[in-house]
């Protein structure tokens, strides 16, 4: 992932506006949040599946 300074330099060279940079930063932050939530959900479901008692039948 690029640093903020590298992103600002690249945006200036590519003619991007400040609004473009803000949208990029916001979407990147949202993606990080989503990855965190999905990772937590994956861990929780794995934990529940591991602790689940097998249903009898014998």
């Amino acid at each position: 992932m690029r640093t903020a300074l590298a992103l600002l330099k690249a945006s200036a060279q590519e003619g991007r506006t400040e609004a473009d940079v803000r949208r990029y930063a916001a979407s990147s932050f949202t993606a990080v949040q989503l990855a965190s939530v999905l990772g937590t959900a994956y861990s929780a479901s794995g934990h529940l599946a591991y602790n689940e008692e097998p249903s009898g039948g014998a």
Side-chain angles (χ1 to χ4, degrees):
M1 184 181 282
R2 293 195 245 180
T3 64
L5 183 57
L7 178 62
L8 290 173
K9 286 180 182 178
S11 68
Q13 292 171 351
E14 296 172 7
R16 291 188 180 172
T17 65
E18 184 178 337
D20 291 334
V21 174
R22 288 179 189 262
R23 271 196 307 274
Y24 175 82
S27 64
S28 294
F29 181 69
T30 302
V32 168
Q33 287 179 317
L34 177 60
S36 175
V37 169
L38 291 175
T40 301
Y42 179 78
S43 295
S45 63
H47 179 74
L48 290 173
Y50 180 78
N51 288 332
E52 192 174 281
E53 292 289 326
S55 56

